[in-house]
Amino acid sequence: MQANGHEHVIEVTDLRRVYGGGFEAVRGIDFSVRRGEIFALLGTNGAGKTSTVELLEGLAAPAGGRVRVLGHDPYTERAAVRPRTGVMLQEGGFPSELTVAETARMWAGCVSGARPEAEVLALVGLSDKRGTRVKQLSGGERRRLDLALALLGEPEVLFLDEPTTGLDAEGRRDTWELVRSLRDGGTTVLLTTHYLEEAEDLADRLAILHEGRIAATGTPAEVTATQPSRISFELPDGCFMGDLPPLGELGVSDHQVDGRVVRLRTRELQRAATALLVWAERAGVELRGLDVRSASLEEAFLRIAKDASAGSTATKEYAA
């Protein structure tokens, strides 16, 4: 089927990558990315994120398995894939003596149907740096230049490897808005990131890699839902743990008491929180310092990585 009739523009089946000496960096992973979707690959250092992305970009042949991007093998059919993709590497390695505008024009000469350099520099907020030499740019400005060059060819598929490393908070937010607008315009985005907040905020779906395997995949909400939520509060004066509603009936799986502070973990957050508030109302007491929150992606990530390291969890599929 042609890619323009394909729901999935990236398809990975049993993908493997082996380096010299027999080190297996990617150990048989499967995932797909839909057209017009932001998909994040997460993982600790050495998990296999960059090794995977390089195979998708066609920079190397897999040791095993199958990769298709826009319906083509990105390595053996590179000529059919490369003009339709944009790539933002972790480091661009641009000539330091060229100005920003000269760098963009030079890169545009290597891209089919490149958009005007002024347009892409405006997209990433570098219009006022057009005459600045690359060596004079800050680390964050160089990352924005990396992104501008990846967008020159108006790619259908955009690969972003750690796109906001070195950016300040404002630059990171601006980049997120740009990536969302690209997605909304139909661009498929695959990104790697160490910033879990970034993945939670941006990604439509994600996969967590650990030691070359996918430990969990799904939407951010689906992945975080695998971890218990938290409720904390101070015991009211004159009250003790035994005065609370039975924790088992609240769906509480674990609890800790630190002085007068009680911390509960539950997979039934609404039920537990409602029961506690009803109890406090009937008892005529105040739950000071009440904090009710769902698990974060960071908590889910750390737990999944820990479980995977211990070999106590199989790959979980949450996506519909």
Side-chain angles (χ1 to χ4, degrees):
M1 183 183 299
Q2 293 298 314
N4 59 12
H6 229 266
E7 181 188 10
H8 297 110
V9 298
I10 298 175
E11 297 176 296
V12 173
T13 306
D14 195 27
L15 185 64
R16 299 177 183 274
R17 186 170 188 182
V18 180
Y19 290 95
F23 173 67
E24 194 172 19
V26 182
R27 306 182 180 188
I29 63 173
D30 301 85
F31 67 89
S32 59
V33 183
R34 303 182 184 107
R35 183 177 297 279
E37 179 176 52
I38 300 174
F39 189 93
L41 280 180
L42 308 179
T44 54
N45 289 332
K49 303 185 302 296
T50 297
S51 292
T52 298
V53 173
E54 287 178 350
L55 296 178
L56 300 180
E57 293 167 351
L59 299 180
R66 182 177 184 270
V67 181
R68 291 293 181 270
V69 176
L70 295 164
H72 299 280
D73 183 318
Y75 185 74
T76 62
E77 301 175 278
R78 185 171 176 79
V81 176
R82 186 64 189 92
R84 301 166 66 187
T85 60
V87 176
M88 181 180 179
L89 302 176
Q90 286 192 31
E91 292 188 25
F94 307 123
S96 61
E97 294 298 328
L98 294 183
T99 66
V100 167
E102 289 169 344
T103 302
R105 285 196 294 270
M106 177 190 71
W107 202 259
C110 304
V111 175
S112 301
R115 67 173 81 181
E117 51 91 3
E119 181 181 325
V120 294
L121 293 180
L123 278 175
V124 300
L126 285 180
S127 294
D128 61 344
K129 297 290 183 177
R130 295 182 71 255
T132 303
R133 296 186 188 278
V134 169
K135 67 180 181 182
Q136 296 172 319
L137 297 177
S138 68
E141 289 166 343
R142 291 190 187 199
R143 291 308 284 156
R144 284 191 271 165
L145 179 57
D146 287 333
L147 179 56
L149 303 190
L151 297 176
L152 272 170
E154 299 189 70
E156 296 176 52
V157 179
L158 181 61
F159 295 103
L160 303 177
D161 201 356
E162 303 291 345
T164 61
T165 298
L167 296 182
D168 58 20
E170 182 180 5
R172 187 172 296 132
R173 293 286 176 179
D174 289 344
T175 300
W176 292 1
E177 288 302 316
L178 175 56
V179 172
R180 286 193 196 95
S181 70
L182 293 168
R183 184 269 314 275
D184 293 344
T187 302
T188 301
V189 180
L190 186 141
L191 67 90
T192 71
T193 180
H194 280 97
Y195 298 115
L196 298 179
E197 178 192 6
E198 183 164 274
E200 193 164 22
D201 193 277
L202 272 183
D204 298 302
R205 290 187 304 126
L206 59 85
I208 297 176
L209 284 170
H210 183 74
E211 296 182 350
R213 296 186 174 92
I214 292 180
T217 184
T219 68
E222 289 165 342
V223 173
T224 56
T226 65
Q227 305 303 309
S229 302
R230 294 168 293 155
I231 303 174
S232 64
F233 57 91
E234 292 182 29
L235 275 172
D237 294 338
C239 293
F240 302 91
M241 284 297 295
D243 297 320
L244 298 175
L247 298 184
E249 294 181 8
L250 302 185
V252 172
S253 57
D254 183 36
H255 75 278
Q256 295 177 331
V257 181
D258 183 6
R260 302 293 295 174
V261 177
V262 178
R263 297 184 179 88
L264 309 177
R265 293 172 68 85
T266 177
R267 296 184 184 277
E268 300 180 63
L269 183 59
Q270 181 173 325
R271 173 186 169 194
T274 300
L276 279 171
L277 291 171
V278 169
W279 170 80
E281 179 70 21
R282 290 175 176 172
V285 297
E286 178 185 358
L287 297 178
R288 293 188 297 272
L290 179 63
D291 185 17
V292 179
R293 65 180 66 192
S294 300
S296 67
L297 182 59
E298 180 178 6
E299 290 173 309
F301 175 85
L302 293 174
R303 171 57 61 182
I304 289 166
K306 181 179 179 180
D307 288 347
S309 293
S312 60
T313 183
T315 298
K316 297 183 179 72
E317 283 282 353
Y318 306 109

